[in-house]
Amino acid sequence: MKINDVIRTRRQALGLTQEALAERLGVSGPAVNKWEKSLNYPDITLLPTLARVLGVDLNTLLSFQEDMDRGEIGRFCARLQQTAEAEGCAAAVRLAEEKLREFPRNDHLAFSAAGMLEGILAMYPEDGGAERERWRAEIAALYERAAGSEDHQVREWAVFTLAARCVGGGELERAEALLGRLSDTHREKQLLTASLRERQGRAGEAWVLLEQTLFDRAAGILSVLSQMAGLALKEGDRRRARALADTAAEAGRLLAVPDHAVQSAPLQLALAEEDGPLALSLLEKLLDSLCRPWDLCASPLYPHLPAGGGAADVAARRSGRPGDRPGEPVPVGRAGLP
């Protein structure tokens, strides 16, 4: 609440009239009336006495909040959306500007407000007229501010967003520079790099990045399914474990993942069911897969990835040799064994 709301609600809660509050403070009744209507503010020397009379501390009286947490920022962004729906884009922008002035050092708020306002402008393309260019400039400035944040996560979000905007807008050199600022652990860096390579006319490199990302994520999906199957077995739910194992096998077939990754979940299930012959057969397939080179380029999903070796070759690549960094071709993916 703002100071006028605090004065009014606390005065009413204490059962005081404006005149009674004014008498205690040594001011006129009209002065209190102006405070509550936000037409004027109490003299700074009155604030300690006013806070004591109202039974609040100065922080509460002045509506001082150290900072907004992420939950509050999320709720504020929802309020921006509601304001745009009810009152239009201009009202939402004004609300965001007020909040950003109130919390000028909160980069998470700056990034979140920029994203929400950008979405609002896209939803209401006819609203705002000539003001829209100014709003777009303010949104861009908020992203730039967040891109210099000391908060690593906010900085990554903002730099990625700016890079994506540059790729879409044809600012390819700047997009390249921004991508270079992203950490190698950023999940979407390779996909955006692939988009940039395509725009640069380097389709071959884009294909390698996309296929490598697909393979890595496919192996990750099978690893998750295998872990889920193991958890189901521990809970005694063999029916679900069977469904998960079957799903892993089908996903592995569709995504052309090597056998050693596909057989993990079915092998767990066979061992749990004490099916010796099946477990032995699956183990043989798994060992054979570990020793056999992976001809990924034979799959229509990965024709641009060179054929590699077995598990030992992957382990060598993951040790830090060239190709282990996002943006560089890795013949058989970096996922390794599940």
Side-chain angles (χ1 to χ4, degrees):
M1 290 191 296
K2 295 183 179 179
I3 186 171
N4 61 304
D5 295 319
V6 174
I7 294 172
R8 184 180 63 257
T9 55
R10 285 301 300 163
R11 174 183 63 76
Q12 292 172 345
L14 294 170
L16 296 173
T17 64
Q18 290 182 344
E19 290 73 16
L21 177 59
E23 185 178 350
R24 294 193 184 190
L25 296 171
V27 298
S28 67
V32 174
N33 182 266
K34 288 181 179 180
W35 298 346
E36 294 187 359
K37 290 182 177 179
S38 199
L39 299 175
N40 207 337
Y41 295 98
D43 186 277
I44 191 170
T45 59
L46 284 176
L47 293 179
T49 304
L50 178 59
R52 284 192 289 269
V53 170
L54 296 177
V56 297
D57 57 38
L58 278 173
N59 284 343
T60 302
L61 177 63
L62 297 174
S63 304
F64 178 77
Q65 181 181 353
E66 187 67 32
D67 212 342
M68 295 178 73
D69 61 31
R70 299 201 170 192
E72 290 168 327
I73 291 172
R75 290 189 291 274
F76 176 71
C77 286
R79 185 181 166 199
L80 285 178
Q81 176 64 43
Q82 294 163 0
T83 301
E85 291 174 359
E87 305 174 41
C89 294
V93 172
R94 284 195 301 271
L95 181 61
E97 289 172 342
E98 290 174 6
K99 188 62 68 174
L100 288 162
R101 282 194 294 269
E102 186 178 351
F103 297 97
R105 295 175 59 82
N106 193 319
D107 295 330
H108 188 189
L109 172 63
F111 176 79
S112 300
M116 179 56 69
L117 291 176
E118 188 170 30
I120 287 171
L121 293 188
M123 289 178 64
Y124 304 100
E126 305 301 323
D127 194 357
E131 283 290 283
R132 292 177 69 86
E133 287 305 313
R134 179 177 68 81
W135 297 341
R136 290 193 184 98
E138 289 183 8
I139 289 169
L142 289 174
Y143 282 135
E144 293 287 355
R145 166 184 154 183
S149 175
E150 295 181 0
D151 184 316
H152 172 77
Q153 188 177 53
V154 171
R155 185 171 65 251
E156 289 274 289
W157 290 341
V159 170
F160 179 85
T161 301
L162 286 171
R165 286 161 62 96
C166 287
V167 171
E171 299 178 62
L172 305 187
E173 289 188 10
R174 184 159 190 245
E176 189 83 61
L178 287 165
L179 281 167
R181 291 172 55 187
L182 283 176
S183 67
D184 291 345
T185 58
H186 194 287
R187 181 173 175 78
E188 303 299 325
K189 180 177 181 178
Q190 285 203 168
L191 289 179
L192 185 55
T193 302
S195 296
L196 176 59
R197 296 292 175 262
E198 181 183 358
R199 293 292 298 270
Q200 292 170 330
R202 298 156 65 179
E205 293 177 50
W207 274 116
V208 170
L209 289 167
L210 291 170
E211 292 174 16
Q212 175 183 306
T213 300
L214 176 62
F215 180 83
D216 287 350
R217 295 190 180 182
I221 288 171
L222 264 65
S223 180
V224 171
L225 287 168
S226 177
Q227 188 170 345
M228 291 173 69
L231 182 58
L233 285 172
K234 286 182 180 179
E235 294 177 348
D237 190 347
R238 293 194 179 185
R239 182 177 178 180
R240 188 176 186 204
R242 168 70 62 187
L244 290 165
D246 291 344
T247 300
E250 182 65 11
R253 182 186 66 80
L254 291 172
L255 296 171
V257 177
D259 284 344
H260 76 260
V262 175
Q263 303 303 333
S264 179
L267 179 59
Q268 287 184 78
L269 187 61
L271 291 171
E273 294 177 340
E274 299 183 352
D275 187 337
L278 177 59
L280 183 59
S281 173
L282 292 171
L283 186 59
E284 288 177 350
K285 289 181 181 179
L286 190 150
L287 292 174
D288 179 64
S289 174
L290 290 174
C291 299
R292 178 167 30 88
W294 302 341
D295 191 12
L296 287 181
C297 60
S299 165
L301 297 180
Y302 314 109
H304 297 84
L305 296 186
D313 191 39
V314 173
R317 287 187 181 91
R318 295 184 71 192
S319 67
R321 297 179 183 180
D324 194 45
R325 294 182 294 275
E328 297 184 10
V330 180
V332 295
R334 303 190 315 277
L337 299 176

